[in-house]
Amino acid sequence: MLDKSKVKLGIAPIGWTNDDLPELGKENTFEQCVSEMALAGFTGSEVGNKYPKDPVVLKQYLDIRGMEICNQWFSCFLITRPFAEVEKAFRTQLEFLRAVGAKVIGVSEQSYSTQGKQNVAIFGDKYVMNEEEWTIFCAGMNQLGKIAITEYGIYLTFHHHMGTVVENAAEVERMMAHTDPQYVHLLFDTGHFAYCGEDPLEMVQKYASRIKHVHLKDIRQEVVAQAKVEGWSFLESVRKGAFTVPGDGSLDFAPIFAVLAQSNYAGYMVVEAEQDPAVANPFVYAVKARTFIGEKTGL
C-alpha cells in the first residue's frame, strides 16, 4: 500500500474549467471549484485559468479549505525560442509557485504542439525533432531543472503529452536518457501514455525512480479508437469523453499503484480528467475518483 505519510492526493481544476476550451465550464467559478475539491476529500490542486494571480490571495482561499497548490503547467519553447526568453518566463512561474509553497512545476515542450489545434487530427502527422533540436531540448531541460531545484527548491517534472514532441515511449526514453536525473524528473500521466498506445504499467515500471509527480487519468478506449478512425483533434476527443477519472474507464490502476508503492513513491497523485462539466458533473466525478483511489490504495 502507498504510504499515507508520503503520498498526498490532489485534483486538477480542468474538470471544472478547461483552460484549452474555455467554453467548457465557463459557468463554474474558482470558489466553487476549490470548495468542491476540498469537499470531495482532496488536499492538493493544480493551477487553473480562473485562479487568483496574487499568491497571497490564492493562499487565503486554499488555506481555509485545507488545500495547497501542488503543481502548475509551464509551456516551454526550447527549440523555437531563445533560451533567455524561456528562462525568464520559467523564473516568473517559479517565483509564483515558491510563494504558494508548491514543490513541483510541470513542464511541457510546446514547440510545434498540435494539442490545442482544433482542426488538426491528434493521430495525424506529429512534429519530430531532428538531432540538433534534441540536443538543444535536452540541454535546455537540464538547465531549467538545475535552476528550479538549486535556486527555488522546486522539482522540474516533464509532462509527456499528446500532440507534442515528447509524446510516446521512444521519445520519453530518449529524453530520460539524455537528461540529468538530478534535474529532470518525470510527470507520469497514465492517460496520455494509454491514449498514444503505450502501456502505462510498463512506463511506471521503467521510470519509477524518476517520477516526482503523477497524473491519474483514465481513458474510454472506445472513444480514443473513434478519434483515430474519424480524425478528431485532441480537443474534440476531450469534448467527446476520451478521458475520465480513475476507475471509470478502461485502465487497470491496481498494478500501477502497486509499482508506485514498491518504489516508495513520495509526492502528489493528482486526478486530472478533462471532460465537459455539463455532461460529467465535476463534483460527482471527483467523489467517484476519491472513493476509487481510497479503495485501491488505502489513502
Side-chain angles (χ1 to χ4, degrees), residues 94-141:
L94 286 170
E95 288 166 5
F96 172 82
L97 288 172
R98 181 169 61 183
V100 295
K103 299 301 181 186
V104 164
I105 185 168
V107 175
S108 174
E109 178 63 29
Q110 286 293 293
S111 299
Y112 307 112
S113 173
T114 64
Q115 73 180 67
K117 297 183 177 180
Q118 299 196 50
N119 60 344
V120 177
I122 192 60
F123 287 108
D125 292 333
K126 184 180 78 68
Y127 189 84
V128 177
M129 287 190 283
N130 59 38
E131 293 298 319
E132 181 183 4
E133 288 168 331
W134 268 109
T135 299
I136 293 169
F137 167 69
C138 290
M141 277 291 137

mmCIF file of all heavy atoms in Angstrom, residues 94-141:
data_model
loop_
_atom_site.group_PDB
_atom_site.id
_atom_site.type_symbol
_atom_site.label_atom_id
_atom_site.label_comp_id
_atom_site.label_asym_id
_atom_site.label_seq_id
_atom_site.Cartn_x
_atom_site.Cartn_y
_atom_site.Cartn_z
ATOM 1 N N LEU A 94 8.235 30.101 -11.389
ATOM 2 C CA LEU A 94 8.843 29.514 -10.197
ATOM 3 C C LEU A 94 8.665 30.422 -8.981
ATOM 4 O O LEU A 94 8.428 29.945 -7.866
ATOM 5 C CB LEU A 94 10.337 29.252 -10.437
ATOM 6 C CG LEU A 94 10.687 28.079 -11.346
ATOM 7 C CD1 LEU A 94 12.178 28.114 -11.677
ATOM 8 C CD2 LEU A 94 10.320 26.748 -10.711
ATOM 9 N N GLU A 95 8.775 31.706 -9.194
ATOM 10 C CA GLU A 95 8.592 32.650 -8.090
ATOM 11 C C GLU A 95 7.178 32.570 -7.537
ATOM 12 O O GLU A 95 6.957 32.588 -6.319
ATOM 13 C CB GLU A 95 8.924 34.067 -8.562
ATOM 14 C CG GLU A 95 10.414 34.291 -8.777
ATOM 15 C CD GLU A 95 10.722 35.564 -9.563
ATOM 16 O OE1 GLU A 95 9.759 36.323 -9.856
ATOM 17 O OE2 GLU A 95 11.901 35.786 -9.883
ATOM 18 N N PHE A 96 6.207 32.461 -8.427
ATOM 19 C CA PHE A 96 4.814 32.322 -8.003
ATOM 20 C C PHE A 96 4.618 31.012 -7.234
ATOM 21 O O PHE A 96 4.005 30.999 -6.155
ATOM 22 C CB PHE A 96 3.892 32.347 -9.222
ATOM 23 C CG PHE A 96 2.460 32.029 -8.926
ATOM 24 C CD1 PHE A 96 1.602 32.994 -8.434
ATOM 25 C CD2 PHE A 96 1.961 30.744 -9.141
ATOM 26 C CE1 PHE A 96 0.276 32.698 -8.149
ATOM 27 C CE2 PHE A 96 0.639 30.441 -8.860
ATOM 28 C CZ PHE A 96 -0.206 31.415 -8.364
ATOM 29 N N LEU A 97 5.153 29.917 -7.767
ATOM 30 C CA LEU A 97 4.989 28.616 -7.120
ATOM 31 C C LEU A 97 5.677 28.574 -5.759
ATOM 32 O O LEU A 97 5.148 27.995 -4.806
ATOM 33 C CB LEU A 97 5.515 27.506 -8.034
ATOM 34 C CG LEU A 97 4.644 27.225 -9.263
ATOM 35 C CD1 LEU A 97 5.337 26.244 -10.207
ATOM 36 C CD2 LEU A 97 3.283 26.676 -8.850
ATOM 37 N N ARG A 98 6.844 29.182 -5.659
ATOM 38 C CA ARG A 98 7.522 29.233 -4.366
ATOM 39 C C ARG A 98 6.689 30.023 -3.361
ATOM 40 O O ARG A 98 6.592 29.650 -2.190
ATOM 41 C CB ARG A 98 8.910 29.848 -4.519
ATOM 42 C CG ARG A 98 9.692 29.909 -3.202
ATOM 43 C CD ARG A 98 11.151 30.272 -3.424
ATOM 44 N NE ARG A 98 11.317 31.580 -4.042
ATOM 45 C CZ ARG A 98 12.505 32.088 -4.389
ATOM 46 N NH1 ARG A 98 13.621 31.387 -4.183
ATOM 47 N NH2 ARG A 98 12.583 33.281 -4.951
ATOM 48 N N ALA A 99 6.048 31.093 -3.827
ATOM 49 C CA ALA A 99 5.247 31.931 -2.940
ATOM 50 C C ALA A 99 4.027 31.195 -2.400
ATOM 51 O O ALA A 99 3.570 31.486 -1.293
ATOM 52 C CB ALA A 99 4.810 33.199 -3.675
ATOM 53 N N VAL A 100 3.508 30.241 -3.171
ATOM 54 C CA VAL A 100 2.335 29.488 -2.696
ATOM 55 C C VAL A 100 2.730 28.157 -2.060
ATOM 56 O O VAL A 100 1.870 27.381 -1.644
ATOM 57 C CB VAL A 100 1.299 29.251 -3.819
ATOM 58 C CG1 VAL A 100 0.717 30.567 -4.296
ATOM 59 C CG2 VAL A 100 1.895 28.461 -4.980
ATOM 60 N N GLY A 101 4.035 27.873 -2.015
ATOM 61 C CA GLY A 101 4.506 26.683 -1.314
ATOM 62 C C GLY A 101 4.557 25.408 -2.126
ATOM 63 O O GLY A 101 4.713 24.321 -1.567
ATOM 64 N N ALA A 102 4.458 25.508 -3.449
ATOM 65 C CA ALA A 102 4.495 24.315 -4.293
ATOM 66 C C ALA A 102 5.915 23.777 -4.415
ATOM 67 O O ALA A 102 6.887 24.527 -4.324
ATOM 68 C CB ALA A 102 3.940 24.627 -5.680
ATOM 69 N N LYS A 103 6.035 22.466 -4.632
ATOM 70 C CA LYS A 103 7.346 21.816 -4.742
ATOM 71 C C LYS A 103 7.612 21.249 -6.137
ATOM 72 O O LYS A 103 8.670 20.663 -6.375
ATOM 73 C CB LYS A 103 7.444 20.678 -3.720
ATOM 74 C CG LYS A 103 7.317 21.141 -2.265
ATOM 75 C CD LYS A 103 8.385 22.157 -1.898
ATOM 76 C CE LYS A 103 8.272 22.607 -0.450
ATOM 77 N NZ LYS A 103 9.226 23.697 -0.135
ATOM 78 N N VAL A 104 6.655 21.431 -7.044
ATOM 79 C CA VAL A 104 6.768 20.830 -8.378
ATOM 80 C C VAL A 104 6.294 21.820 -9.430
ATOM 81 O O VAL A 104 5.329 22.562 -9.220
ATOM 82 C CB VAL A 104 5.911 19.545 -8.463
ATOM 83 C CG1 VAL A 104 5.684 19.115 -9.906
ATOM 84 C CG2 VAL A 104 6.571 18.411 -7.686
ATOM 85 N N ILE A 105 6.984 21.820 -10.583
ATOM 86 C CA ILE A 105 6.498 22.524 -11.761
ATOM 87 C C ILE A 105 6.435 21.515 -12.898
ATOM 88 O O ILE A 105 7.358 20.718 -13.091
ATOM 89 C CB ILE A 105 7.404 23.730 -12.130
ATOM 90 C CG1 ILE A 105 6.798 24.536 -13.296
ATOM 91 C CG2 ILE A 105 8.837 23.305 -12.428
ATOM 92 C CD1 ILE A 105 7.481 25.882 -13.527
ATOM 93 N N GLY A 106 5.336 21.516 -13.623
ATOM 94 C CA GLY A 106 5.133 20.549 -14.710
ATOM 95 C C GLY A 106 5.410 21.193 -16.054
ATOM 96 O O GLY A 106 4.665 22.075 -16.504
ATOM 97 N N VAL A 107 6.464 20.756 -16.716
ATOM 98 C CA VAL A 107 6.927 21.390 -17.950
ATOM 99 C C VAL A 107 6.544 20.560 -19.165
ATOM 100 O O VAL A 107 6.730 19.343 -19.189
ATOM 101 C CB VAL A 107 8.458 21.578 -17.903
ATOM 102 C CG1 VAL A 107 8.975 22.125 -19.227
ATOM 103 C CG2 VAL A 107 8.852 22.494 -16.750
ATOM 104 N N SER A 108 6.024 21.224 -20.189
ATOM 105 C CA SER A 108 5.723 20.561 -21.461
ATOM 106 C C SER A 108 6.332 21.368 -22.597
ATOM 107 O O SER A 108 6.153 22.589 -22.661
ATOM 108 C CB SER A 108 4.207 20.452 -21.664
ATOM 109 O OG SER A 108 3.911 19.934 -22.955
ATOM 110 N N GLU A 109 7.063 20.719 -23.490
ATOM 111 C CA GLU A 109 7.630 21.400 -24.661
ATOM 112 C C GLU A 109 6.509 21.608 -25.678
ATOM 113 O O GLU A 109 5.984 20.646 -26.247
ATOM 114 C CB GLU A 109 8.766 20.588 -25.266
ATOM 115 C CG GLU A 109 9.380 21.188 -26.518
ATOM 116 C CD GLU A 109 10.047 22.559 -26.291
ATOM 117 O OE1 GLU A 109 10.522 22.825 -25.171
ATOM 118 O OE2 GLU A 109 10.093 23.342 -27.258
ATOM 119 N N GLN A 110 6.167 22.871 -25.892
ATOM 120 C CA GLN A 110 5.013 23.199 -26.734
ATOM 121 C C GLN A 110 5.382 23.668 -28.140
ATOM 122 O O GLN A 110 4.485 23.986 -28.931
ATOM 123 C CB GLN A 110 4.172 24.257 -26.030
ATOM 124 C CG GLN A 110 3.372 23.717 -24.860
ATOM 125 C CD GLN A 110 2.291 22.752 -25.306
ATOM 126 O OE1 GLN A 110 1.332 23.128 -25.975
ATOM 127 N NE2 GLN A 110 2.459 21.483 -24.952
ATOM 128 N N SER A 111 6.658 23.676 -28.475
ATOM 129 C CA SER A 111 7.034 23.992 -29.852
ATOM 130 C C SER A 111 6.379 22.998 -30.801
ATOM 131 O O SER A 111 6.473 21.782 -30.606
ATOM 132 C CB SER A 111 8.553 23.913 -30.007
ATOM 133 O OG SER A 111 9.205 24.840 -29.172
ATOM 134 N N TYR A 112 5.684 23.508 -31.799
ATOM 135 C CA TYR A 112 5.018 22.709 -32.833
ATOM 136 C C TYR A 112 3.892 21.821 -32.287
ATOM 137 O O TYR A 112 3.437 20.896 -32.963
ATOM 138 C CB TYR A 112 6.021 21.827 -33.591
ATOM 139 C CG TYR A 112 7.197 22.579 -34.155
ATOM 140 C CD1 TYR A 112 8.478 22.374 -33.655
ATOM 141 C CD2 TYR A 112 7.023 23.493 -35.194
ATOM 142 C CE1 TYR A 112 9.565 23.076 -34.168
ATOM 143 C CE2 TYR A 112 8.109 24.191 -35.718
ATOM 144 C CZ TYR A 112 9.373 23.972 -35.199
ATOM 145 O OH TYR A 112 10.442 24.664 -35.710
ATOM 146 N N SER A 113 3.429 22.090 -31.088
ATOM 147 C CA SER A 113 2.378 21.259 -30.499
ATOM 148 C C SER A 113 1.072 21.376 -31.274
ATOM 149 O O SER A 113 0.700 22.461 -31.733
ATOM 150 C CB SER A 113 2.142 21.676 -29.043
ATOM 151 O OG SER A 113 1.026 21.001 -28.502
ATOM 152 N N THR A 114 0.374 20.256 -31.385
ATOM 153 C CA THR A 114 -0.949 20.259 -32.025
ATOM 154 C C THR A 114 -2.067 20.034 -31.013
ATOM 155 O O THR A 114 -3.236 19.961 -31.396
ATOM 156 C CB THR A 114 -1.044 19.159 -33.102
ATOM 157 O OG1 THR A 114 -0.916 17.870 -32.482
ATOM 158 C CG2 THR A 114 0.036 19.319 -34.155
ATOM 159 N N GLN A 115 -1.737 19.948 -29.737
ATOM 160 C CA GLN A 115 -2.755 19.591 -28.746
ATOM 161 C C GLN A 115 -3.882 20.604 -28.655
ATOM 162 O O GLN A 115 -5.015 20.249 -28.337
ATOM 163 C CB GLN A 115 -2.123 19.403 -27.365
ATOM 164 C CG GLN A 115 -1.682 20.692 -26.685
ATOM 165 C CD GLN A 115 -1.054 20.450 -25.326
ATOM 166 O OE1 GLN A 115 0.022 19.857 -25.218
ATOM 167 N NE2 GLN A 115 -1.708 20.905 -24.278
ATOM 168 N N GLY A 116 -3.587 21.879 -28.957
ATOM 169 C CA GLY A 116 -4.623 22.901 -28.863
ATOM 170 C C GLY A 116 -5.226 23.306 -30.192
ATOM 171 O O GLY A 116 -6.032 24.238 -30.252
ATOM 172 N N LYS A 117 -4.870 22.601 -31.278
ATOM 173 C CA LYS A 117 -5.366 22.946 -32.606
ATOM 174 C C LYS A 117 -6.600 22.120 -32.935
ATOM 175 O O LYS A 117 -6.512 20.897 -33.101
ATOM 176 C CB LYS A 117 -4.266 22.735 -33.649
ATOM 177 C CG LYS A 117 -3.072 23.650 -33.427
ATOM 178 C CD LYS A 117 -2.020 23.475 -34.503
ATOM 179 C CE LYS A 117 -0.861 24.453 -34.296
ATOM 180 N NZ LYS A 117 0.179 24.299 -35.331
ATOM 181 N N GLN A 118 -7.724 22.792 -33.044
ATOM 182 C CA GLN A 118 -8.987 22.077 -33.187
ATOM 183 C C GLN A 118 -9.237 21.534 -34.600
ATOM 184 O O GLN A 118 -10.180 20.783 -34.808
ATOM 185 C CB GLN A 118 -10.138 22.977 -32.746
ATOM 186 C CG GLN A 118 -10.033 23.402 -31.283
ATOM 187 C CD GLN A 118 -11.332 23.947 -30.730
ATOM 188 O OE1 GLN A 118 -12.382 23.339 -30.864
ATOM 189 N NE2 GLN A 118 -11.259 25.101 -30.079
ATOM 190 N N ASN A 119 -8.391 21.908 -35.549
ATOM 191 C CA ASN A 119 -8.574 21.408 -36.920
ATOM 192 C C ASN A 119 -7.474 20.441 -37.341
ATOM 193 O O ASN A 119 -7.317 20.144 -38.528
ATOM 194 C CB ASN A 119 -8.626 22.580 -37.902
ATOM 195 C CG ASN A 119 -7.357 23.417 -37.874
ATOM 196 O OD1 ASN A 119 -6.568 23.322 -36.936
ATOM 197 N ND2 ASN A 119 -7.152 24.231 -38.896
ATOM 198 N N VAL A 120 -6.699 19.947 -36.368
ATOM 199 C CA VAL A 120 -5.598 19.018 -36.670
ATOM 200 C C VAL A 120 -5.844 17.689 -35.964
ATOM 201 O O VAL A 120 -6.035 17.655 -34.750
ATOM 202 C CB VAL A 120 -4.233 19.596 -36.229
ATOM 203 C CG1 VAL A 120 -3.121 18.583 -36.476
ATOM 204 C CG2 VAL A 120 -3.957 20.902 -36.959
ATOM 205 N N ALA A 121 -5.824 16.599 -36.723
ATOM 206 C CA ALA A 121 -6.063 15.270 -36.141
ATOM 207 C C ALA A 121 -4.954 14.925 -35.160
ATOM 208 O O ALA A 121 -3.770 15.065 -35.478
ATOM 209 C CB ALA A 121 -6.136 14.225 -37.242
ATOM 210 N N ILE A 122 -5.329 14.453 -33.992
ATOM 211 C CA ILE A 122 -4.340 14.132 -32.972
ATOM 212 C C ILE A 122 -3.500 12.927 -33.364
ATOM 213 O O ILE A 122 -2.356 12.778 -32.954
ATOM 214 C CB ILE A 122 -5.003 13.921 -31.590
ATOM 215 C CG1 ILE A 122 -3.940 13.889 -30.477
ATOM 216 C CG2 ILE A 122 -5.868 12.666 -31.578
ATOM 217 C CD1 ILE A 122 -3.118 15.128 -30.347
ATOM 218 N N PHE A 123 -4.064 12.047 -34.184
ATOM 219 C CA PHE A 123 -3.303 10.902 -34.673
ATOM 220 C C PHE A 123 -2.767 11.149 -36.083
ATOM 221 O O PHE A 123 -2.426 10.218 -36.788
ATOM 222 C CB PHE A 123 -4.160 9.633 -34.640
ATOM 223 C CG PHE A 123 -4.385 9.092 -33.249
ATOM 224 C CD1 PHE A 123 -5.630 9.192 -32.648
ATOM 225 C CD2 PHE A 123 -3.350 8.499 -32.545
ATOM 226 C CE1 PHE A 123 -5.843 8.689 -31.364
ATOM 227 C CE2 PHE A 123 -3.548 8.006 -31.259
ATOM 228 C CZ PHE A 123 -4.801 8.107 -30.675
ATOM 229 N N GLY A 124 -2.713 12.399 -36.485
ATOM 230 C CA GLY A 124 -2.146 12.743 -37.785
ATOM 231 C C GLY A 124 -0.647 12.925 -37.691
ATOM 232 O O GLY A 124 0.025 12.379 -36.815
ATOM 233 N N ASP A 125 -0.106 13.738 -38.593
ATOM 234 C CA ASP A 125 1.335 13.975 -38.597
ATOM 235 C C ASP A 125 1.729 14.792 -37.361
ATOM 236 O O ASP A 125 1.149 15.835 -37.086
ATOM 237 C CB ASP A 125 1.741 14.733 -39.865
ATOM 238 C CG ASP A 125 1.569 13.889 -41.113
ATOM 239 O OD1 ASP A 125 1.644 12.653 -40.977
ATOM 240 O OD2 ASP A 125 1.349 14.454 -42.195
ATOM 241 N N LYS A 126 2.722 14.317 -36.659
ATOM 242 C CA LYS A 126 3.237 14.976 -35.463
ATOM 243 C C LYS A 126 4.670 15.412 -35.721
ATOM 244 O O LYS A 126 5.438 14.687 -36.337
ATOM 245 C CB LYS A 126 3.179 14.021 -34.263
ATOM 246 C CG LYS A 126 3.599 14.646 -32.950
ATOM 247 C CD LYS A 126 3.510 13.635 -31.809
ATOM 248 C CE LYS A 126 4.680 12.676 -31.796
ATOM 249 N NZ LYS A 126 5.958 13.334 -31.451
ATOM 250 N N TYR A 127 5.028 16.576 -35.245
ATOM 251 C CA TYR A 127 6.383 17.062 -35.465
ATOM 252 C C TYR A 127 7.390 16.163 -34.755
ATOM 253 O O TYR A 127 7.206 15.796 -33.590
ATOM 254 C CB TYR A 127 6.536 18.500 -34.970
ATOM 255 C CG TYR A 127 7.854 19.114 -35.372
ATOM 256 C CD1 TYR A 127 8.008 19.691 -36.629
ATOM 257 C CD2 TYR A 127 8.948 19.095 -34.515
ATOM 258 C CE1 TYR A 127 9.230 20.237 -37.020
ATOM 259 C CE2 TYR A 127 10.170 19.641 -34.893
ATOM 260 C CZ TYR A 127 10.298 20.202 -36.147
ATOM 261 O OH TYR A 127 11.506 20.741 -36.539
ATOM 262 N N VAL A 128 8.453 15.839 -35.462
ATOM 263 C CA VAL A 128 9.526 15.006 -34.912
ATOM 264 C C VAL A 128 10.801 15.831 -34.868
ATOM 265 O O VAL A 128 11.235 16.376 -35.885
ATOM 266 C CB VAL A 128 9.739 13.739 -35.768
ATOM 267 C CG1 VAL A 128 10.909 12.921 -35.227
ATOM 268 C CG2 VAL A 128 8.469 12.894 -35.806
ATOM 269 N N MET A 129 11.393 15.927 -33.684
ATOM 270 C CA MET A 129 12.613 16.721 -33.543
ATOM 271 C C MET A 129 13.778 16.096 -34.300
ATOM 272 O O MET A 129 13.931 14.865 -34.323
ATOM 273 C CB MET A 129 12.992 16.864 -32.064
ATOM 274 C CG MET A 129 12.092 17.799 -31.280
ATOM 275 S SD MET A 129 12.728 18.169 -29.612
ATOM 276 C CE MET A 129 12.307 16.661 -28.725
ATOM 277 N N ASN A 130 14.618 16.952 -34.893
ATOM 278 C CA ASN A 130 15.843 16.462 -35.528
ATOM 279 C C ASN A 130 16.960 16.380 -34.485
ATOM 280 O O ASN A 130 16.761 16.717 -33.317
ATOM 281 C CB ASN A 130 16.240 17.347 -36.717
ATOM 282 C CG ASN A 130 16.486 18.802 -36.319
ATOM 283 O OD1 ASN A 130 17.037 19.083 -35.240
ATOM 284 N ND2 ASN A 130 16.097 19.743 -37.179
ATOM 285 N N GLU A 131 18.134 15.933 -34.892
ATOM 286 C CA GLU A 131 19.229 15.713 -33.945
ATOM 287 C C GLU A 131 19.618 17.004 -33.215
ATOM 288 O O GLU A 131 19.845 17.004 -31.998
ATOM 289 C CB GLU A 131 20.452 15.147 -34.681
ATOM 290 C CG GLU A 131 20.247 13.753 -35.240
ATOM 291 C CD GLU A 131 19.971 12.718 -34.155
ATOM 292 O OE1 GLU A 131 20.627 12.776 -33.098
ATOM 293 O OE2 GLU A 131 19.083 11.864 -34.363
ATOM 294 N N GLU A 132 19.711 18.090 -33.957
ATOM 295 C CA GLU A 132 20.091 19.365 -33.334
ATOM 296 C C GLU A 132 19.043 19.800 -32.309
ATOM 297 O O GLU A 132 19.387 20.274 -31.216
ATOM 298 C CB GLU A 132 20.251 20.441 -34.408
ATOM 299 C CG GLU A 132 20.675 21.788 -33.837
ATOM 300 C CD GLU A 132 20.772 22.870 -34.905
ATOM 301 O OE1 GLU A 132 20.441 22.593 -36.078
ATOM 302 O OE2 GLU A 132 21.172 23.997 -34.545
ATOM 303 N N GLU A 133 17.778 19.629 -32.662
ATOM 304 C CA GLU A 133 16.704 20.032 -31.749
ATOM 305 C C GLU A 133 16.699 19.174 -30.485
ATOM 306 O O GLU A 133 16.459 19.679 -29.382
ATOM 307 C CB GLU A 133 15.356 19.958 -32.459
ATOM 308 C CG GLU A 133 15.183 21.070 -33.489
ATOM 309 C CD GLU A 133 13.994 20.857 -34.403
ATOM 310 O OE1 GLU A 133 13.619 19.690 -34.650
ATOM 311 O OE2 GLU A 133 13.440 21.858 -34.895
ATOM 312 N N TRP A 134 16.961 17.893 -30.625
ATOM 313 C CA TRP A 134 17.046 17.028 -29.441
ATOM 314 C C TRP A 134 18.168 17.499 -28.501
ATOM 315 O O TRP A 134 18.006 17.517 -27.279
ATOM 316 C CB TRP A 134 17.294 15.574 -29.855
ATOM 317 C CG TRP A 134 16.031 14.779 -30.023
ATOM 318 C CD1 TRP A 134 15.490 14.325 -31.194
ATOM 319 C CD2 TRP A 134 15.155 14.340 -28.978
ATOM 320 N NE1 TRP A 134 14.320 13.634 -30.949
ATOM 321 C CE2 TRP A 134 14.098 13.619 -29.598
ATOM 322 C CE3 TRP A 134 15.151 14.471 -27.588
ATOM 323 C CZ2 TRP A 134 13.050 13.047 -28.862
ATOM 324 C CZ3 TRP A 134 14.114 13.914 -26.857
ATOM 325 C CH2 TRP A 134 13.083 13.215 -27.485
ATOM 326 N N THR A 135 19.297 17.880 -29.082
ATOM 327 C CA THR A 135 20.420 18.355 -28.266
ATOM 328 C C THR A 135 20.043 19.635 -27.525
ATOM 329 O O THR A 135 20.302 19.781 -26.322
ATOM 330 C CB THR A 135 21.648 18.602 -29.151
ATOM 331 O OG1 THR A 135 22.033 17.360 -29.771
ATOM 332 C CG2 THR A 135 22.818 19.125 -28.332
ATOM 333 N N ILE A 136 19.431 20.578 -28.249
ATOM 334 C CA ILE A 136 19.002 21.842 -27.636
ATOM 335 C C ILE A 136 17.969 21.581 -26.551
ATOM 336 O O ILE A 136 18.042 22.147 -25.453
ATOM 337 C CB ILE A 136 18.415 22.784 -28.713
ATOM 338 C CG1 ILE A 136 19.512 23.218 -29.689
ATOM 339 C CG2 ILE A 136 17.736 23.989 -28.071
ATOM 340 C CD1 ILE A 136 18.989 23.934 -30.922
ATOM 341 N N PHE A 137 17.014 20.720 -26.848
ATOM 342 C CA PHE A 137 15.926 20.423 -25.914
ATOM 343 C C PHE A 137 16.451 19.810 -24.615
ATOM 344 O O PHE A 137 16.123 20.278 -23.519
ATOM 345 C CB PHE A 137 14.924 19.481 -26.591
ATOM 346 C CG PHE A 137 13.929 18.862 -25.652
ATOM 347 C CD1 PHE A 137 12.940 19.633 -25.052
ATOM 348 C CD2 PHE A 137 13.981 17.510 -25.367
ATOM 349 C CE1 PHE A 137 12.023 19.061 -24.182
ATOM 350 C CE2 PHE A 137 13.067 16.923 -24.494
ATOM 351 C CZ PHE A 137 12.086 17.707 -23.896
ATOM 352 N N CYS A 138 17.260 18.780 -24.724
ATOM 353 C CA CYS A 138 17.748 18.094 -23.525
ATOM 354 C C CYS A 138 18.673 18.985 -22.703
ATOM 355 O O CYS A 138 18.598 19.003 -21.468
ATOM 356 C CB CYS A 138 18.445 16.793 -23.899
ATOM 357 S SG CYS A 138 17.307 15.518 -24.522
ATOM 358 N N ALA A 139 19.528 19.739 -23.375
ATOM 359 C CA ALA A 139 20.408 20.666 -22.655
ATOM 360 C C ALA A 139 19.592 21.734 -21.938
ATOM 361 O O ALA A 139 19.876 22.097 -20.788
ATOM 362 C CB ALA A 139 21.394 21.312 -23.622
ATOM 363 N N GLY A 140 18.567 22.230 -22.609
ATOM 364 C CA GLY A 140 17.700 23.238 -22.004
ATOM 365 C C GLY A 140 16.950 22.703 -20.803
ATOM 366 O O GLY A 140 16.796 23.397 -19.784
ATOM 367 N N MET A 141 16.473 21.465 -20.905
ATOM 368 C CA MET A 141 15.776 20.843 -19.774
ATOM 369 C C MET A 141 16.704 20.745 -18.559
ATOM 370 O O MET A 141 16.297 21.022 -17.427
ATOM 371 C CB MET A 141 15.289 19.444 -20.161
ATOM 372 C CG MET A 141 13.975 19.415 -20.897
ATOM 373 S SD MET A 141 12.604 19.885 -19.855
ATOM 374 C CE MET A 141 11.719 20.928 -20.989
#
